[in-house]
Amino acid sequence: MFNVNHPALFWMAGIVILYVLGQSVFFSYKAYKRALELGIERKKLFSIMKGSAVFTIAPAIAIIIGMITLSRFLGLALPWLRLSVVGALTYELPAATTAASVLGISLSEPISLAKAFSVIAWVMTLGSFSGIVIVTFFFPKIEKGLVKIKSKDEKWGNIFMDSLFIGMISAFLGMIFSGVTSGLKGFIPIFVMLFSACLMMIFGYFVKKKNIGWLSNYAMPLSMLGAMIFSIPLSSWIGG
Amino acid sequence: MSNYEKNIHRWGKISGILAILMFTSFPLFFSIYFDAWPNFMDVLQGLLGIVPIFYTVGIIEAFTYAPMLGAGGSYLSFVTGNITALKAPCAINAMQFAKAEPGTAEGEVISTLAIGISSIVTTIILFLGMILLAQLTPILESEILAPAFANILPALFGGLAVVFISKNWKIAVGPTLLMIIIFIIKPSLAGAVSVLVPVGALFAILLSRFLYKKNLL
């Protein structure tokens, strides 16, 4: 019987993850060197690196929960690979479920057939290539379009960039309101978002009015963590 | 033009192609090692179930996030994944701290550095998570912590909203209200939020263009 946690699978996954880790180190090193050339202080760059590392901790722990979910039927190696590299649980779970439904197998227990595992691994892999293919082959064209917008009118170019960011943020802010019709429970995400926003404003006050500069680097991760912690008593009070 | 600017697209293209090959190597070596080649029709049917949605989302994400994250940041984040809930906010946070605008030389390197560090830290945490899974599962899946992880996106976007709404409230109010109305009317769209990112962006661009032409920005 096929074992979803066969040691060979960990080797196969580990080699791919090592490659991606190497790529991250390479790009970080090149960006760091270029930042120094641009005159950005070493101290500031270390603050950015520390801030980015702290920012990553909570979302990365949330990804482990995704790994636990997928590991129930796929074992550990494939979810470890998929969530360490290109994927996110929002894609990997539907991809695995769709492939399993084609085969007519249940995902309530570890997959015991190597052929079934193979179909799922191929579908998860090939189904996730669109973004990476577009960026790898067409990024210079996207960049050229932006340069054109900016060179015509720089002020409008900056507003255009801000509009893109706002578009992304507005979609997620809207999503937070998707549960309001389900009663008070549906308001929990809204209260959590407002709490995070309040924390951000308080930190902003200390950064700007009290000149605590280092805090600006950690304001966002601290607001996020504070709001996540706040959601625990809030959910138990409201009954989420 | 600097050495970095001259080479970034070459590095991006080579590393992207290698990444695609490496990702494909897992199912390929699996099929060879376990002599378990899949039935072509099963794979095709599985792909037909997900490709229409996820390829569309992937293409949309590429065109929306690439300008925000810059060349290095885009090449890296589309390989390392988790862009929406981790890499893009992380890059935004770093650029805000460094007071660097996206699309500038400074914004480009700060975004790349932030995404690179975030990817390294994610890889380390997931490796530790995999090794310690048995010990971590009862903690991470405990009922007490469940609301904290269920609310990670509201907790993240609350802070981000303050930054962007305070900076550009005239552009931000319209798209935010539009999205709130859309999601209240059709809550099931919460599962396809990535598709609505370009809708919000397009609306924000049209609105800001109108305000800009009227000299209101």
Side-chain angles (χ1 to χ4, degrees):
Chain A
M1 197 174 88
F2 169 67
N3 172 13
V4 286
N5 286 316
H6 192 289
L9 295 175
F10 288 90
W11 282 104
M12 292 174 197
I15 290 166
V16 181
I17 291 169
L18 262 182
Y19 166 77
V20 174
L21 186 63
Q23 191 188 358
S24 304
V25 172
F26 176 82
F27 273 82
S28 303
Y29 173 69
K30 293 289 180 188
Y32 179 82
K33 263 181 55 181
R34 176 69 187 135
L36 289 177
E37 282 171 18
L38 287 168
I40 303 172
E41 285 172 37
R42 215 175 277 268
K43 203 176 145 196
K44 197 174 192 178
L45 292 175
F46 276 107
S47 291
I48 288 164
M49 289 196 273
K50 266 194 280 177
S52 302
V54 171
F55 189 96
T56 303
I57 294 171
I61 292 174
I63 298 172
I64 297 178
I65 299 175
M67 198 155 80
I68 296 171
T69 309
L70 292 172
S71 70
R72 300 223 162 87
F73 51 92
L74 291 176
L76 260 175
L78 183 57
W80 173 45
L81 168 67
R82 297 298 310 169
L83 296 175
S84 293
V85 298
V86 71
L89 187 68
T90 44
Y91 160 74
E92 305 299 343
L93 191 57
T97 314
T98 308
S101 70
V102 168
L103 299 166
I105 56 170
S106 156
L107 293 182
S108 56
E109 53 191 36
I111 289 163
S112 56
L113 292 168
K115 280 212 170 181
F117 190 92
S118 179
V119 171
I120 291 173
W122 276 106
V123 169
M124 286 168 100
T125 305
L126 298 178
S128 64
F129 277 159
S130 62
I132 183 174
V133 167
I134 297 272
V135 167
T136 301
F137 294 102
F138 300 105
F139 185 86
K141 282 199 175 144
I142 300 173
E143 197 179 43
K144 239 182 225 167
L146 277 172
V147 170
K148 211 172 157 186
I149 292 173
K150 278 205 158 186
S151 61
K152 268 189 184 168
D153 180 348
E154 203 184 335
K155 191 182 172 196
W156 167 243
N158 292 334
I159 296 170
F160 179 86
M161 290 300 290
D162 283 344
S163 303
L164 276 178
F165 280 100
I166 284 166
M168 174 186 95
I169 291 167
S170 66
F172 281 90
L173 290 179
M175 185 194 72
I176 293 165
F177 287 77
S178 61
V180 292
T181 48
S182 63
L184 193 56
K185 227 170 88 174
F187 281 84
I188 293 174
I190 300 171
F191 294 138
V192 173
M193 174 197 70
L194 292 175
F195 191 82
S196 168
C198 285
L199 283 180
M200 194 68 187
M201 284 191 269
I202 293 167
F203 291 137
Y205 169 81
F206 280 106
V207 171
K208 283 189 179 145
K209 303 284 176 194
K210 304 281 173 191
N211 288 321
I212 309 175
W214 64 266
L215 189 59
S216 79
N217 198 20
Y218 300 101
M220 200 103 75
L222 286 176
S223 304
M224 178 171 63
L225 274 178
M228 284 170 74
I229 294 167
F230 169 74
S231 72
I232 297 171
L234 180 75
S235 299
S236 106
W237 180 54
I238 290 180
Chain B
M1 198 188 262
S2 73
N3 189 37
Y4 178 90
E5 282 154 350
K6 261 188 269 175
N7 288 317
I8 190 72
H9 295 304
R10 194 164 58 90
W11 297 331
K13 197 169 249 182
I14 294 169
S15 62
I17 292 169
L18 282 176
I20 292 168
L21 294 175
M22 291 298 280
F23 296 158
T24 314
S25 76
F26 183 92
L28 184 68
F29 286 125
F30 176 87
S31 304
I32 296 168
Y33 187 88
F34 290 94
D35 192 21
W37 290 93
N39 181 323
F40 175 76
M41 285 313 288
D42 288 343
V43 175
L44 189 68
Q45 260 184 286
L47 284 173
L48 282 176
I50 56 163
V51 159
I53 298 168
F54 288 108
Y55 269 40
T56 312
V57 170
I59 292 165
I60 287 168
E61 282 188 342
F63 283 100
T64 317
Y65 289 116
M68 300 184 204
L69 305 177
S74 297
Y75 288 127
L76 198 51
S77 56
F78 277 86
V79 167
T80 57
N82 284 298
I83 301 171
T84 310
L86 178 52
K87 305 294 162 46
C90 186
I92 294 170
N93 183 48
M95 284 190 277
Q96 287 291 325
F97 170 69
K99 295 188 175 59
E101 289 294 325
T104 61
E106 287 78 10
E108 155 76 38
V109 290
I110 301 290
S111 163
T112 307
L113 189 60
I115 291 169
I117 297 298
S118 178
S119 304
I120 295 166
V121 173
T122 307
T123 308
I124 295 168
I125 291 178
L126 287 194
F127 178 70
L128 293 174
M130 184 199 56
I131 289 177
L132 302 169
L133 199 77
Q135 290 88 335
L136 286 175
T137 302
I139 303 167
L140 294 179
E141 291 203 320
S142 71
E143 272 189 32
I144 298 170
L145 287 182
F149 289 113
N151 285 293
I152 196 160
L153 284 178
L156 173 61
F157 281 91
L160 269 180
V162 170
V163 175
F164 276 90
I165 292 176
S166 63
K167 196 175 158 196
N168 300 289
W169 68 269
K170 283 182 191 167
I171 314 173
V173 171
T176 306
L177 282 176
L178 175 76
M179 286 296 146
I180 290 173
I181 293 166
I182 289 176
F183 278 100
I184 290 176
I185 293 172
K186 194 97 180 131
S188 59
L189 284 172
V193 66
S194 291
V195 181
L196 283 158
V197 169
V199 177
L202 191 67
F203 186 71
I205 290 166
L206 290 174
L207 180 69
S208 54
R209 187 69 190 168
F210 173 77
L211 294 172
Y212 182 64
K213 283 280 174 195
K214 297 263 173 207
N215 280 325
L216 292 168
L217 289 179

